[in-house]
Amino acid sequence: MALVRAARSSLRRSGGAIGNCVSERNIFSEGISPLRHPAPVLENAVAGFNSSYIPSMRMINQLSLGNRGMKFTPQYHAQAQMVKGSDSGHESSKYPALEATKPGEKPRVVVLGSGWAACRFLKGLDTKMYDVVCIAPRNHMVFTPLLASTCVGTLEFRSVAEPVSQIQKALAKDPNSYFFLASCTGVDSDNHEVYCETVGDRGVSREPYRFKVAYDKLVIASGAEPLTFGIKGVQEHAFFLREVQHAQEIRKKLLMNLMLSETPGISEEEKERLLHCVVIGGGPTGVEFSGELSDFIMRDVRQRYAHVKNYIHVTLIEANEILSSFDVGLREYATKHMTKVGVRLVRGVVKEVHADKIVLSDGSDVPYGLLVWSTGVGPSEFVKSLNLPKSLGGRVGIDEWLRVPSVEDVFALGDCAGFLEQTGKPVLPALAQVAERQGKYLVKVFNNIGKQNGGKALSAKDISLGDPFVYKHLGSMATVGRYKALVDLRQSKSEKGVSLAGFVSWFIWRSAYLTRVISWRNRFYVAMNWGTTLIFGRDNTKIG
């Protein structure tokens, strides 16, 4: 213990020289070699020391990460930026690096993202042919079709989150495959490198740790961001519904408002505002969330919050028609049913959002206590920054084989990618089934490339990739609450097909999504949550 205290005292006197790069033990946890440090720090003391509280790394000469080929240099403080070709030369020495693969080693596939497309690709990739590196700001995949159910306690949050290391076990077990909790900030396609910075806890002022990773093949599947159309106040005051974190925040806000509204002295007007839940956007996500909210109100709020049960209500605002991609008959059914269960449908356009009210384009004000924004998705700032060809709408442009045609060894899929105009194919909608199908297709392409020894960088130019990607729409489903759902099995809006609505559709909806949940563990969680909710009602405990 005396030696440990002496080591810590020496660290404090040296100005905290180790730096927070060592602190990301959840990211880089293997093979750390002894530190060469000017202070007499004992190796065992450093191993047991929580270095996340040490602010800089200027006094470290070098830190190597064993067999992973990663080196850290003192100049890592350079700001990350998008680089291309020779422009990156002066930046190269300023980033710790996972070096390029050597002859005789397996080619390295770097995947950006952990969404539907990325995880379906990771799940099927043959890791006997490739080493794989996944870089994403979250370490799990979200089963988004069931995310709305977690906001009101129908499902637990863990039921819709699947760890990436469980989807592709090589990320946890193989010595040269890794998952890095980080965001990609730039791509150098000439040097086959991606630039990244780590993701930390919100509110922590610590400077992010920056590094670069060399790749033989790059798959961009970084997803999209919610569209706000530049409307003032949306980012500051609205909740989105794309991540588990979003669902947690919505649930916390909803329960907080319910409890605050029972406080003595709250005016009638303020009580009505607090308990007014407004949803913007009449697509499947907005409709399903509104349906879940109405279920929660009808079954749980009226029993457990008797003092305010007549104040809480839901308003869904849509500029056009709700569920515009569905069959006309299904849209009419959804409109009637949602009105029947207490959801007020308003056709309007949001002009501005304030902390306690929405201003519509006709000048009317809509007070609210909870605002959920669900108006579709668009390209992220990262995708916009890339010096790559873009499709209509600003996505990364791809050809029929999901390649980015202007650069070597770069592929893109999912919500961040779209067919270039010259392919003659339309830009596909940002749907989970599109992303999943593209991920499954790209696995075949990569396994084909690997079998023909084209996995290494710049070695697949003359390799046949097989048949191009063809997407066939399998249909759409949406629940509207109270054991009712819509199933539209048409392949497109202009074609005819099977359309169902009601309890049978709800049963099909639940059965289909239960089978699509990735792991048996999560399928068990979902089935168990549905059963307990049916018998005991939803959990309304506010934690945090």
Side-chain angles (χ1 to χ4, degrees), residues 324-340:
S324 58
S325 63
F326 281 68
D327 177 74
V328 175
L330 295 181
R331 293 203 300 266
E332 292 175 352
Y333 178 90
T335 300
K336 292 178 181 178
H337 176 77
M338 296 188 73
T339 302
K340 182 180 178 181

Side-chain angles (χ1 to χ4, degrees), residues 57 107 220 259 271 336 381 495 502 530 542:
M57 58 174 286
I220 303 174
M259 287 180 279
K271 193 177 293 186
K336 292 178 181 178
E381 291 302 316
E495 295 184 16
W530 280 342
K542 181 190 174 296

Side-chain angles (χ1 to χ4, degrees), residues 261-276:
S261 64
E262 291 188 306
T263 306
I266 296 235
S267 66
E268 295 289 306
E269 183 181 3
E270 179 65 4
K271 193 177 293 186
E272 288 183 355
R273 183 193 70 79
L274 280 173
L275 297 179
H276 187 198

Side-chain angles (χ1 to χ4, degrees), residues 151-275:
C151 298
V152 295
T154 305
L155 297 177
E156 294 182 16
F157 297 112
R158 66 176 179 175
S159 301
V160 299
E162 188 70 39
V164 176
S165 59
Q166 290 295 317
I167 294 171
Q168 177 47 267
K169 296 186 183 300
L171 294 171
K173 296 181 178 180
D174 285 9
N176 293 310
S177 293
Y178 332 96
F179 172 82
F180 296 147
L181 189 70
S183 294
C184 182
T185 58
V187 176
D188 183 350
S189 57
D190 287 351
N191 291 323
H192 279 56
E193 293 175 336
V194 293
Y195 287 72
C196 310
E197 65 179 31
T198 55
V199 175
D201 293 334
R202 290 178 300 166
V204 176
S205 59
R206 184 179 65 209
E207 187 174 347
Y209 164 57
R210 299 181 178 91
F211 61 98
K212 64 181 180 180
V213 177
Y215 65 84
D216 291 296
K217 298 288 186 288
L218 175 65
V219 177
I220 303 174
S222 55
E225 292 181 352
L227 280 175
T228 64
F229 306 101
I231 297 172
K232 183 179 178 181
V234 174
Q235 290 285 356
E236 295 81 0
H237 305 301
F239 291 95
F240 302 104
L241 191 50
R242 300 273 298 168
E243 307 285 348
V244 171
Q245 173 191 322
H246 297 158
Q248 290 171 330
E249 291 171 346
I250 291 170
R251 176 172 170 75
K252 183 177 179 180
K253 180 69 171 178
L254 177 62
L255 294 177
M256 176 67 79
N257 286 354
L258 277 165
M259 287 180 279
L260 282 176
S261 64
E262 291 188 306
T263 306
I266 296 235
S267 66
E268 295 289 306
E269 183 181 3
E270 179 65 4
K271 193 177 293 186
E272 288 183 355
R273 183 193 70 79
L274 280 173
L275 297 179

Side-chain angles (χ1 to χ4, degrees), residues 401 403 411 441 444-445 448-449 452 460 463-468:
W401 292 270
R403 298 176 299 186
F411 299 76
Y441 168 82
K444 295 179 181 178
V445 171
N448 185 30
I449 291 173
Q452 300 181 62
I463 289 178
S464 172
L465 301 183
D467 296 330

Side-chain angles (χ1 to χ4, degrees), residues 359-377:
V359 180
L360 300 181
S361 57
D362 61 4
S364 60
D365 293 344
V366 181
Y368 70 88
L370 172 67
L371 175 62
V372 176
W373 193 271
S374 177
T375 58
V377 295

